[in-house]
């Protein structure tokens, strides 16, 4: 098969993996080699769907013996199958890197054989890049579910980041939609990778030339909208993965129907708004100190589609506002809608010189349309908030769902369309 | 300080980074707020003043000035470099703030309630953003002579900031980055770096050598887009269309014409031979 045709097929198959980052690695150039890490990551282009191209994202092979209902490469799918050779992948990566098209390689694969064999193929590509080509650019390898820990350890010595996609948030959904996958196996791999990363970091503190294991950490992905779990289950799982296994990122990928399947919801378009709200909630947990239980609970299991999660939280807690910008600490300022990390830092810097005035806030990057209802300066509120239902409508960045007409703030919006209501109690993963 | 006294105290600003750093060094300890004058060897303070003798400044003086500036405030030093690169003419704002910072302390530069701080930092942020953007968007083509060449049209004078990034990235690979707006180029071959201008800079532009990698890159770019999530407005917001000219994956017209490599010399005022 022509290399260009293979490239088209296996790039198209890989596009459903949302991970695109090349950040988190400061790998130094190898003597006489090519490439270097860029800790902040670099975006080289943007596709027509608005996604950043930072890495050459490919499948080694789209042949797969699993039959996951949501996957374009599942064994029962009628698609053309192709596989790269290691040499082809190395040539593509080096050729594109030399031309500044990419920061490195993201390599996953269908499970065309025993997981150990598949993982060995991926490791071989990374080994050739590092050892033969002297390549110090970014490499992200998929941890093939079911492969042994010895291979995971080897993969981590070549890769900057590893990932094992959990895809579905409960054992029940996995059993229904991806019966050949084992949640325990995937979580076990995450636990091993997290522990190994910590061990090698400790070693590196004591031994100057200790090898690093996946210095950019690990990530995972959850498909949103293919199974009936509410946002609360997804967000709680993400929080547990961050805290217990030290994941760097959880990605959320809106379910896109690739073929009719009775096990999947019939949706006309991917739930992009829901995906967007999950990313916002994820950002609040990682960067703003929110706990999953603050954003969603049994009374509020679904993220609102009309307002962002931070504003929704603020509207549920009027007793905590207004926050005095002249005296509140950094963490309290971060809780104010419209105040971000940069804005909070600038407020505190301006306070040191005693120059903080209401008219300065907008110039500091504070989004006053939202923040003015929740801030005061030296005891004087910036604006008197209107009644709660009117304030919510004013702060909405999207129209409310048609089925959630209500007059009270914090009313539970309807579950997104296409999600079948499940009468069963969803089982959750047990973390060892 | 009167313009005449300023010129006595400060070397004539010739537009170079070294001289700007020297001016900033002196502004930090100056007794009076300096008045900035446009650069130029023969710049006169006014029609009624006599030309003043310029003080000679040595390389050692410049190095000492850079060390002093960096020790006073790493932020001020970084802002100086970005302000110098900027095409918005913010050097006088920078000198004014350096004078104030010398009085009130370097923390002043982080106080966004001060309008001049906001203006200067916003201008420097635009330079920084362009540097980071072009680190990603510069596209190199392999010429027949083995040189990888990337044409750019940056708003700001940032070639010197891009060079270390690409030298670290490419190692021994020979490459050139060509600023078509200013007809400047930096060429890196191993340990050697050479600066070029005018015709020499233009001679480093990509040729029309057959480059199979470009065609493969286009195939990859087209295949990696998810049609169910198509959002051209978001694409343009994240990557403004003015950058597309030198991106082979996007510089395709409906006629299927190749990227405008034939147009590069025209941008420097010559027709292609």
């Amino acid at each position: 098969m022509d290399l260009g045709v293979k490239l088209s097929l296996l790039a198209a198959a890989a596009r459903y993996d949302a991970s695109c980052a090349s950040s988190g690695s400061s790998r130094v150039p190898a003597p006489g080699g090519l490439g270097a890490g860029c800790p902040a990551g670099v975006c080289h282009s943007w596709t027509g769907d608005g996604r950043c191209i930072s890495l050459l994202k490919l499948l080694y092979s789209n042949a797969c013996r699993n039959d996951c209902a949501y996957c374009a490469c599942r064994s029962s799918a009628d698609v053309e199958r192709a596989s790269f050779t290691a040499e082809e992948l190395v040539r593509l990566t080096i050729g594109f890197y030399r031309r500044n098209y990419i920061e490195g390689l993201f390599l996953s694969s269908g499970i065309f054989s025993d997981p150990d064999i598949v993982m060995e193929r991926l490791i071989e590509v990374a080994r050739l890049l590092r050892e033969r080509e002297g390549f110090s650019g970014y490499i992200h390898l998929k941890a093939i579910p079911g492969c042994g820990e010895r291979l995971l350890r080897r993969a981590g010595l070549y890769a900057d980041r590893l990932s094992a996609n959990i895809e579905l948030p409960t054992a029940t959904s996995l059993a229904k939609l991806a019966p050949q996958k084992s949640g325990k196996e995937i979580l076990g791999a995450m636990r091993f990778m997290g522990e190994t990363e910590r061990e090698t970091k400790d070693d590196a503190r004591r031994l100057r030339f200790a090898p690093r294991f996946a210095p950019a950490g690990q990530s995972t992905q959850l498909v949103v909208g293919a199974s009936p779990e509410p946002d609360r289950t997804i967000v709680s799982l993400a929080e547990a993965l961050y805290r217990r296994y030290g994941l760097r990122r959880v990605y959320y990928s809106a379910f896109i129907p690739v073929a009719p399947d009775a096990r999947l919801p019939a949706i006309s378009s991917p739930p992009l708004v829901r995906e967007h709200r999950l990313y916002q909630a994820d950002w609040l947990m990682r960067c703003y100190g929110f706990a999953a239980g603050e954003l969603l609970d049994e009374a509020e299991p679904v993220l609102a589609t009309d307002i962002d999660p931070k504003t929704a939280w603020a509207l549920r807690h009027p007793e905590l506002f207004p926050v005095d910008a002249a005296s509140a600490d950094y963490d309290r300022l971060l809780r104010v809608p419209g105040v971000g990390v940069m804005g909070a830092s600038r407020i505190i810097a301006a306070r040191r010189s005693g120059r903080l005035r209401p008219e300065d806030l907008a110039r500091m990057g504070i989004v006053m349309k939202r923040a003015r209802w929740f801030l005061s300066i030296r005891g004087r509120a910036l604006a008197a908030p209107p009644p709660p239902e009117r304030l919510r409508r004013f702060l909405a960045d999207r129209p409310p769902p048609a089925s959630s007409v209500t007059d009270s703030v914090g009313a539970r919006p309807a579950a997104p369309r296409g999600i079948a209501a499940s009468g069963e109690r969803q089982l959750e993963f047990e973390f060892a | 300080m009167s313009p005449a006294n300023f010129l006595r105290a400060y070397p004539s600003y010739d537009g170079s980074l070294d001289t700007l750093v020297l001016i900033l060094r002196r502004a930090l300890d100056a007794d009076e707020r300096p008045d900035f004058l446009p650069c130029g060897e023969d710049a006169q303070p006014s029609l009624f003043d006599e030309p003043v003798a310029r003080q000679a400044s040595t390389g050692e003086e410049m190095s000492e000035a850079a060390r002093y500036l960096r020790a006073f405030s790493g932020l001020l030093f970084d802002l100086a470099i970005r302000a110098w690169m900027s095409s918005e003419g913010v050097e006088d704002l920078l000198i004014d703030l350096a004078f104030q910072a010398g009085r009130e302390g370097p923390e002043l530069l982080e106080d966004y309630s001060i309008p001049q701080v906001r203006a200067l930092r916003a201008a420097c942020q635009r330079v920084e953003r362009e540097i980071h953007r072009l680190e990603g968007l510069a596209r190199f083509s392999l010429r027949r002579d083995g040189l990888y060449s990337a044409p750019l049209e940056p708003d700001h004078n940032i070639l010197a900031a891009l060079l270390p990034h690409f030298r670290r990235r490419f190692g021994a690979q020979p490459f050139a980055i060509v600023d078509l707006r200013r007809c400047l180029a930096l060429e890196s071959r191993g340990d050697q770096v050479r600066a070029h201008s005018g015709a020499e800079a233009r001679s480093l532009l990509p040729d029309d050598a057959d480059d199979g990698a470009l065609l493969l890159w286009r195939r990859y770019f087209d295949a990696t887009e998810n049609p169910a999530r198509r959002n051209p407005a978001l694409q343009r917001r994240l990557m403004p269309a003015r950058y597309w000219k030198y991106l082979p994956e996007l510089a395709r017209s409906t006629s299927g014409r190749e990227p405008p490599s034939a147009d590069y010399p025209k941008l420097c005022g010559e027709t292609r031979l």
Side-chain angles (χ1 to χ4, degrees):
Chain A
M1 188 186 281
D2 174 69
L3 181 61
V5 173
K6 242 191 253 189
L7 181 61
S8 294
L9 272 174
L10 295 171
R15 69 189 177 201
Y16 299 99
D17 202 305
S19 174
C20 63
S22 58
S23 58
S25 177
S26 50
R27 194 176 286 269
V28 296
L34 175 73
C38 187
V42 179
C43 269
H44 286 278
S45 193
W46 280 264
T47 55
D49 57 14
R51 294 227 176 153
C52 155
I53 294 183
S54 184
L55 302 174
L56 176 63
K57 194 189 298 183
L58 295 171
L59 297 191
Y60 186 98
S61 171
N62 66 346
C64 190
R65 59 188 196 180
N66 289 352
D67 200 37
C68 305
Y70 49 80
C71 182
C73 303
R74 66 193 185 285
S75 57
S76 60
D78 181 20
V79 295
E80 193 174 2
R81 308 285 175 172
S83 294
F84 280 116
T85 64
E87 202 56 46
E88 286 171 335
L89 285 166
V90 170
R91 270 179 31 219
L92 281 170
T93 305
I94 296 296
F96 285 177
Y97 192 88
R98 287 192 184 281
R99 290 159 176 80
N100 204 44
Y101 296 166
I102 55 173
E103 278 306 285
L105 175 67
F106 173 107
L107 188 59
S108 181
S109 183
I111 305 174
F112 53 85
S113 180
D114 182 82
D116 279 356
I117 292 175
V118 178
M119 194 71 222
E120 278 173 357
R121 298 282 177 90
L122 304 192
I123 292 171
E124 177 62 8
V125 174
R127 187 194 69 80
L128 287 172
L129 283 169
R130 293 286 192 229
E131 294 181 357
R132 193 185 74 187
E133 304 292 329
F135 180 68
S136 298
Y138 200 92
I139 297 179
H140 180 150
L141 288 183
K142 267 286 176 278
I144 301 297
C147 79
E149 289 181 353
R150 181 186 61 86
L151 288 172
L152 282 180
R153 185 179 286 274
R154 258 192 86 203
L157 295 178
Y158 293 120
D160 294 282
R161 178 167 284 183
L162 296 172
S163 59
N165 282 1
I166 201 165
E167 304 291 15
L168 296 163
T170 61
T172 307
S173 289
L174 265 183
K176 182 181 174 191
L177 301 178
Q180 289 107 338
K181 281 191 172 175
S182 162
K184 277 201 165 61
E185 242 172 23
I186 297 171
L187 292 177
M190 286 186 187
R191 185 180 62 248
F192 173 79
M193 291 191 287
E195 285 169 357
T196 310
E197 191 193 343
R198 270 193 302 276
E199 281 166 18
T200 54
K201 262 191 192 153
D202 289 340
D203 289 344
R205 274 192 271 272
R206 290 178 282 117
L207 304 165
R208 189 177 165 196
F209 296 109
R212 291 296 302 275
F213 179 90
Q218 59 169 318
S219 63
T220 192
Q221 173 171 280
L222 286 160
V223 176
V224 176
S227 57
E229 293 88 355
D231 298 333
R232 177 176 166 238
T233 305
I234 295 172
V235 170
S236 299
L237 175 62
E239 182 185 51
L241 291 173
Y242 286 130
R243 288 194 182 163
R244 295 190 199 216
Y245 297 158
L247 261 68
R248 299 295 176 86
R249 285 298 305 271
V250 176
Y251 291 93
Y252 308 91
S253 182
F255 167 58
I256 296 171
V258 292
D261 192 308
R263 295 172 289 173
L264 293 167
I267 59 172
S268 56
S269 59
L272 296 178
V273 175
R274 187 179 174 205
E275 180 197 273
H276 177 58
R277 293 299 185 213
L278 281 166
Y279 273 117
Q280 288 179 317
D282 184 278
W283 191 261
L284 291 176
M285 288 194 297
R286 284 189 297 118
C287 305
Y288 286 69
F290 280 84
E294 293 183 278
L295 298 171
L296 292 168
D297 53 27
E298 283 185 10
E300 290 278 348
V302 178
L303 292 166
T305 53
D306 58 329
I307 53 173
D308 66 88
K310 189 180 181 187
T311 305
W313 175 85
L315 290 174
R316 287 200 302 274
H317 295 280
E319 72 280 5
L320 299 177
F321 298 96
V323 169
D324 195 328
S327 59
D329 63 23
Y330 177 78
D331 291 333
R332 279 216 72 201
L333 286 170
L334 276 190
R335 295 268 169 150
V336 175
V339 177
V341 167
M342 203 179 309
S345 301
R346 288 177 182 174
I347 287 174
I348 289 174
R351 278 195 330 218
R352 285 191 206 116
S353 57
R355 290 196 180 103
L356 185 63
R357 300 167 302 176
E359 55 268 33
D360 294 327
L361 291 176
R363 297 180 202 131
M364 291 182 189
I366 311 299
V367 181
M368 293 309 294
K369 181 192 170 189
R370 285 204 281 280
R372 62 184 162 139
W373 311 110
F374 303 96
L375 278 178
S376 63
I377 293 184
R378 286 179 280 277
R380 293 186 75 176
L382 297 188
E389 64 275 14
R390 204 187 303 168
L391 180 59
R392 185 187 177 105
R393 278 199 296 275
F394 181 73
L395 294 174
D397 55 10
R398 291 182 187 276
S403 55
S404 67
V405 174
T406 177
D407 283 335
S408 58
V409 171
R412 188 183 315 176
R417 278 182 300 165
I419 304 298
S422 167
E424 299 175 15
R425 180 171 164 275
Q426 296 297 322
L427 298 176
E428 294 186 2
F429 288 120
E430 292 174 0
F431 291 88
Chain B
M1 182 189 292
S2 72
N5 286 337
F6 175 79
L7 276 182
R8 269 193 206 94
Y10 297 89
S12 168
Y13 179 48
D14 56 3
S16 71
L17 179 58
D18 284 347
T19 311
L20 179 61
V21 167
L22 194 57
I23 294 175
L24 291 173
R25 161 70 177 92
R26 295 186 181 181
L28 286 177
D29 293 340
D31 295 327
E32 294 176 13
R33 188 186 303 276
D35 295 320
F36 177 69
L37 294 172
C39 63
E41 194 61 37
D42 302 316
Q44 297 290 317
S46 80
L47 287 175
F48 304 104
D49 285 335
E50 294 294 323
V52 296
R54 306 288 189 264
Q55 283 181 315
S57 47
T58 64
E60 197 175 307
E61 197 178 10
M62 305 251 185
S63 297
E64 188 276 336
R67 276 195 301 272
Y68 188 91
L69 200 65
R70 204 183 255 130
F72 175 80
S73 167
L75 174 60
L76 178 60
F77 187 80
D78 288 343
L79 289 175
I81 294 173
R82 300 290 178 252
W84 174 77
M85 290 178 176
S86 173
S87 59
E88 297 174 31
V90 292
E91 288 95 329
D92 54 342
L93 191 56
L94 172 70
I95 293 170
D96 198 43
L97 280 172
F99 175 74
Q100 284 186 58
R103 316 267 75 69
E104 299 179 41
E107 307 77 35
L108 177 124
L109 297 167
E110 305 201 47
D111 189 347
Y112 274 77
S113 65
I114 301 173
Q116 295 98 317
V117 170
R118 285 199 298 272
L120 177 68
R121 296 205 59 176
C124 293
Q125 178 68 13
R126 285 190 282 276
V127 173
E128 189 62 44
R129 201 174 300 134
E130 185 170 65
I131 292 169
H132 189 64
R133 188 166 253 163
L134 288 180
E135 283 174 352
L137 297 183
R139 292 285 185 268
F140 290 80
S141 295
L142 177 60
R143 294 166 24 129
R144 289 188 185 87
D145 60 3
L147 182 77
Y148 286 84
S149 169
L152 308 168
E153 275 188 69
D155 292 337
H156 307 290
N157 187 6
I158 59 169
L159 277 194
L162 293 174
L163 180 72
H165 170 82
F166 288 117
R167 278 177 61 79
R168 184 169 182 267
R169 178 190 174 88
F170 290 142
Q173 172 180 307
F175 71 90
I177 40 179
V178 185
D179 183 342
L180 286 162
R181 203 180 289 267
R182 296 167 185 80
C183 277
L184 297 173
L186 291 175
E187 181 188 4
S188 171
R189 290 183 185 271
D191 291 335
Q192 287 200 334
V193 175
R194 290 176 59 197
H196 305 274
S197 60
E200 269 189 18
R202 288 192 296 275
S203 71
L204 294 173
L205 285 168
D207 55 29
D208 55 1
D210 182 27
D211 192 350
L214 185 152
L215 297 172
L216 285 171
W217 173 244
R218 282 184 183 156
R219 291 201 76 140
Y220 173 75
F221 184 84
D222 291 341
T224 207
E225 174 185 320
N226 193 329
R229 300 179 63 115
R230 191 158 168 72
N231 193 339
L234 179 61
Q235 182 190 35
R236 272 192 295 278
R237 194 162 72 239
L238 294 169
M239 186 168 59
R242 65 194 178 93
Y243 292 105
W244 293 17
K245 199 182 343 182
Y246 301 112
L247 302 179
E249 66 269 26
L250 289 167
R252 282 174 278 182
S253 68
T254 51
S255 68
R257 202 170 77 87
E258 287 298 300
S261 58
D263 292 331
Y264 296 157
K266 290 181 190 170
L267 292 166
C268 288
E270 274 185 16
T271 55
R272 185 174 172 83
L273 297 174

